[in-house]
Structures are given as structure tokens and as C-alpha cells.
Amino acid sequence: MQASTKLISPTHPTLNLSHPTIESFIWNTLIRAHVQAKARPPTTPFFNSPLSIFLRMRFHSVQPDFHTFPFLLQSFTSPSSLHSGLKIHAQIFKFGLACDPFVQTSLINMFSSCGNLGFAQQLFDEIPQPDLPSWNSIINANVKLGFINVARNLFDEMPKRNVISWSCMLSGYVRCGECKEALTLFREMQRMEVSDVRPNQFTMSVVLSACGRLGALEHGKWAHAYIDKCGMKVDVVLGTCLIDMYAKCGSIDRARWVFDNLGPNKDVMAWSAMMSGLAMHGHGQECLDLFSKMMNYGVRPNGVIFLGVLCACVHGGLVSEGNDYFNMMDKEFGISPLIQHYGCMVDLYGRAGLIDKAWDVVKSMPMEPDVIVWGALLSGSRMCGDIETCEVALKKLIELEPTNSSAYVLLSNVYAKMGRWKDARNVRSLMEANGIRKVPGCSLVEVGGVIHEFFVGDESHPDTREIYLMLDEIMNRLKINGYVTNTKEVLLDLDEEGKELALSLHSEKLAIAFAILKTNIGTPIHIVKNLRTCSDCHVAMKMISKVFGREIVVRDCSRFHHFIDGVCSCKDYW
Ligand code: ZN
Ligand code: ZN
């Protein structure tokens, strides 16, 4: 049934006028209009809920039909509306519409929107021969609530799939961070392309987001070429996805190219993606220039734009500029700073060594500081060796996030550094007692179109022997050139990956060794790391870029580092 497909993409509801009477048609139209109005901010103070329109329809003794309920059910979107949803379910039975496929699909969607997967599943199981939209709805319900494996089983089981089924499954993988799985599934989708299933703009936006998260530039470039090959229109939404993907994959020039070619009708999202990209790459001044340009175009900045601008100031060490923009938010644009904006200010002052000013921001915040704020204060105080502030920030972090393994490790290192060995041991035992394990360091590198994953001290790769031999050779050549392992800082400055593991086995070093082994001389190396890069790896990478003549781009959890000829774009400030 065609119409129910539309329920999955509620932006294009259609009216099918096969049966309804003229009275029900008018009421249905009214209900639909109110459902759509509900999705937007209220424009009229005399707003009626779709449910109250339905009750008035019944009061006037107008019979609902199979178009009435799908519209109405779309208005129940949170757990608090489950009760009303159940009442409407009873009405559906009363009017004998429970077997209508359009209504069934709408019910599954309603139950999943209300967070009740049990009811959704039960309803689906009771349909003797579910149609394609019902299958899509139950998969979507599982995806939304994070049951990705159940969703996959249903996906594998369904007799026929359309582009919605594939896109839904792909976005499910991206949502739960299984981006490699998403790309594998996309390849499978392409093999199926002989049938009439072709990716659409939404599918491609999901694929691009998977590439961006993985930092898989080659895959991303390929997806871009595929979009062009299909003649798919790069509108501002898809264009923004491309900008975001290229920026996250370390190719800020390509991001800029897409941005410049988007034409004059760029919305605030496109500007924001470009500005955040520049900020991540440490192009602070360029980001601020773009802000002025955006203002000249008459695009009004929002909170997200200011977040990008403040980030640019943080990564570029532009303290007074950051302060000006922060004040501008409220004064000139009436935007109240959110906790993320305060976090940026703490970061800005902290990294510049102005810990007192950072503390002033923390104390002046109208809301309770969260993990981002304490984390920012921690980085600042770590950088300038303010051990007391480190201790306070770490205690707060552990209080707010009792499973944050790196906070425990750091706190115990802080105590060790202060000579408070008993406290250091206590933190370690607390960590063990709570069963908290360290997040292992992990680096991804794309070689020959395949993504390779390395953990710290990893020996699982099929080419392990060659990789370790290459690593030895690299370290020897670095030593000849004056490299000394930076063990002094192991205690405090690092070390999310644990000081007990030799620094030379950090995951990014393994990834580099592999890339040097497998790629031609001069090929740039792109690495994505899940934790902050430690200063020993940072020094090593600077030297590798010079000694081996390789451009190395590393995305760690906070920013990009471009290593060229012995120098990093972050100017050792990260
Ligand atoms: Zn390291
Ligand atoms: Zn750097």
C-alpha cells in the first residue's frame, strides 16, 4: 500500500480520497493541519490539540475513517502521550479499522514514538502478513530505541526491502557508532542495485556521516563521486553533509571547495558546518573571517555558530577575541549562552594559563557545571601544572561520571605527583572495586580503501610481525635524529592509555607504522584516534613527518593535528 510508505517520512503526507465522506474529509484535514502545526512552534494562542479536534468530530457524530487515525496517531510522540494513544487504539477497534494496514503501521510508529517497543512488537506480530511499511516501522522502532541487533535480524528476515528499509538500517548503525558496519551494509545495498533499490539523498547523508565519524577520507571521496555519478542534486542539506564529512576526514580544503560551490543560498547549518570545521583544524582567523562574511550575507548567527566561533578562538589561542564574541552573543543577538558556550570560555582561559579567569567563569555560570566544563578546567590546569585545580576538577568529574576511567587514572597520577601515595592507591582500589576499566586507546587508518583498527599494544593484525619490525625501524631512525622517549611526563601530562604500557606501543604509532609499510613514499597518512594524543606521540609524529617526508593528519578526540616537515598545525597547543 503506497500511502503508508509516507508515514515513515512524515514530511510529505498525502490524502487518498477513495472512501471518506465529505464531513470526515474536512475533519481529517483539520486534524492533519493541527498535527503539522504542533510540530512547529505555536504561532497562535488559540491552538487546539489534534486530540481535542478528534473529540469534537465525535461530538458532532462524524464517523472517523481509515485516514483519521494515522493523522491523529502522529500527534502522540512522547511517553506521556502513551495513555491517550492506547485510548485511540481502543477507538480503532470500535470502528473496525484495526486490520487496515495504513492504521497498523501508524500504530507501530505511535508506540515506538511513545517509547513502548513491547506494544509495537506485539502489534507487528499480530499482523498475519505484514506489508513493507509495517516491516520498516518495526525496524525503525528497534533502531530508535537502540536495539540494533534485533533490527538487523528483522531486516535480514523481511521478504522485500526498499530504500527506506536500507536507509533506516544504515542510520541505525551510525546512531549506535557502528560506522564500519554501516559502510559494509551500504556496499551490500549497492550490490542489490540491480533491483529498483537506489540510494536517495537521505541514504547518502547517512553514508557521509559514517565516513566522517570514521575519518575515512577515501570512502568519503568515493561517496561524493557516487553522488555526482548518479546525478543526485547536491542541495544545501547534502552539501552540509559533504562539508562536515570532509572536515572530519581531515580534508579542510575539500570542505571549503564544497562550501564555495554551494551557491548563494547557504543556510545557517552550512555556515556552521564550515566554521566548526575550520575551528577543529585550528584555522581560527579564517573561521572568524567567515563569521564576518556570513553577517554581510545577512544570515543571522545562532547558538551553534557561536559555539564554532568560540571553538576557533580556543584552538587558535585567541583569548580577547573569544571574550568579545562571548559578550556579543547576548548583547547583540539576544542569545543566552548555553553550558557548552561556558565550557568553551573555561577552555579558552584554561589553555591560555589564566586559571583564575577560568574559575571566574565556572563561578559565574547560571547553571551547574557539567562534565564538559570540569573537563575543560582539567585540561587547562593540566597544561599549566596547577595540581590543586586538577584535583578539584577530577573529583567533580568522578562525582558526575562514576564510570569515567581516565578521570580515576589521572587523579591517581595527580596524587602520585604530589607524593600522596596513599590517596593514589585509594583511587586505584576504588576504580577496581567499582569494576571500572580503562577505555583502550584505538586508532583507525585507511589504507587501500580498507579501514584498519589498532588498539594499544595490538597484536591481532595479520601483518603484526612486519608492523612491529617497521615500528622498530621508525623508532631507531627517530633516535638517530635526536628523539628521546618522553617518559618524564608519563605521570601527569598523559596518560589515558596507562603508563604501564610502553609509550612506543600507543595505537597511533602502530597505525603509522602500518601506513608507512603499506603506502608509497610521499602518500599522506590520515589517522583517527579515540583519545587525546599524548605528548610523546605528538613529538614522535612531528619527527616522522620530517624524517620520512610524510604529511600526517591526526584527528584525536578534541581536534586535528596536521604534521608537516617537523611542525604541527596546533603549534603544540592542544
Ligand atoms: Zn601516545
Ligand atoms: Zn598537534
Side-chain angles (χ1 to χ4, degrees), residues 260-480:
D260 290 339
N261 281 284
L262 259 188
N265 297 324
K266 293 186 265 283
D267 63 1
V268 72
M269 295 299 288
W271 287 93
S272 161
M274 191 63 231
M275 283 162 69
S276 311
L278 289 168
M280 264 195 293
H281 286 264
H283 299 300
Q285 196 51 53
E286 242 180 279
C287 175
L288 300 186
D289 293 345
L290 205 62
F291 181 81
S292 316
K293 203 169 164 193
M294 182 187 84
M295 300 290 284
N296 291 340
Y297 270 89
V299 178
R300 199 182 158 76
N302 60 13
V304 184
I305 290 277
F306 274 106
L307 208 53
V309 169
L310 293 178
C311 253
C313 296
V314 169
H315 292 305
L318 308 165
V319 178
S320 73
E321 287 88 342
N323 194 30
D324 292 346
Y325 283 107
F326 184 74
N327 291 329
M328 188 196 285
M329 283 179 71
D330 191 25
K331 274 198 198 120
E332 286 184 36
F333 298 98
I335 303 170
S336 312
L338 300 175
I339 198 153
Q340 293 92 330
H341 299 102
Y342 284 102
C344 275
M345 291 311 285
V346 173
D347 213 2
L348 182 69
Y349 290 128
R351 281 165 197 259
L354 304 167
I355 298 295
D356 290 344
K357 285 210 136 205
W359 266 118
D360 289 345
V361 177
V362 173
K363 286 172 189 155
S364 73
M365 288 171 60
M367 63 286 274
E368 277 295 307
D370 65 354
V371 286
I372 298 170
V373 175
W374 291 118
L377 191 63
L378 172 68
S379 328
S381 48
R382 257 168 100 180
M383 277 179 77
C384 59
D386 181 338
I387 300 237
E388 284 76 23
T389 304
C390 273
E391 187 189 351
V392 178
L394 284 165
K395 280 185 167 167
K396 287 283 182 187
L397 278 173
I398 292 176
E399 198 180 302
L400 291 170
E401 256 186 351
T403 54
N404 181 341
S405 58
S406 53
Y408 287 88
V409 176
L410 276 169
L411 185 59
S412 117
N413 291 353
V414 163
Y415 287 139
K417 182 113 176 171
M418 292 162 102
R420 289 162 60 180
W421 300 106
K422 199 168 157 241
D423 287 329
R425 271 195 299 276
N426 284 346
V427 174
R428 290 278 177 170
S429 0
L430 183 68
M431 189 177 167
E432 272 161 37
N434 292 347
I436 293 152
R437 311 199 59 179
K438 279 180 273 177
V439 178
C442 172
S443 293
L444 302 179
V445 64
E446 197 182 26
V447 170
V450 180
I451 299 156
H452 299 262
E453 199 169 36
F454 294 94
F455 286 90
V456 52
D458 200 338
E459 291 182 1
S460 65
H461 196 279
D463 299 326
T464 290
R465 230 182 76 80
E466 288 92 332
I467 295 169
Y468 277 80
L469 284 174
M470 177 47 93
L471 188 58
D472 281 345
E473 192 191 321
I474 293 173
M475 296 324 270
N476 286 336
R477 279 183 65 182
L478 293 192
K479 276 174 197 153
I480 293 167

Side-chain angles (χ1 to χ4, degrees), residues 87-219:
K87 283 191 170 164
I88 295 302
H89 193 187
Q91 291 276 311
I92 289 169
F93 273 112
K94 188 176 154 198
F95 290 102
L97 292 165
C99 291
D100 181 80
F102 196 8
V103 174
Q104 284 169 338
T105 306
S106 306
L107 277 167
I108 297 174
N109 288 338
M110 182 274 288
F111 284 130
S112 82
S113 298
C114 293
N116 196 313
L117 188 58
F119 284 150
Q121 187 67 51
Q122 191 184 340
L123 203 106
F124 177 79
D125 291 340
E126 284 168 7
I127 304 174
Q129 274 185 320
D131 61 0
L132 184 53
S134 302
W135 277 101
N136 285 343
S137 289
I138 193 67
I139 290 174
N140 191 34
N142 279 285
V143 158
K144 269 205 280 193
L145 297 168
F147 296 104
I148 191 73
N149 294 333
V150 181
R152 182 59 195 255
N153 288 341
L154 288 161
F155 179 81
D156 290 339
E157 216 179 285
M158 68 195 290
K160 194 175 180 297
R161 303 174 192 125
N162 63 6
V163 65
I164 296 171
S165 335
W166 286 94
S167 304
C168 179
M169 201 58 227
L170 284 166
S171 73
Y173 279 127
V174 175
R175 240 174 209 243
C176 64
E178 292 187 32
C179 294
K180 264 177 97 172
E181 203 54 52
L183 293 183
T184 310
L185 188 69
F186 181 61
R187 273 195 294 275
E188 211 174 298
M189 175 179 186
Q190 300 213 288
R191 280 198 292 275
M192 303 284 167
E193 221 186 79
V194 270
S195 59
D196 52 358
V197 184
R198 308 211 76 195
N200 58 22
Q201 281 167 315
F202 176 71
T203 323
M204 292 318 291
S205 72
V206 175
V207 171
L208 290 173
S209 129
C211 298
R213 287 221 205 169
L214 286 168
L217 182 61
E218 290 311 312
H219 279 80

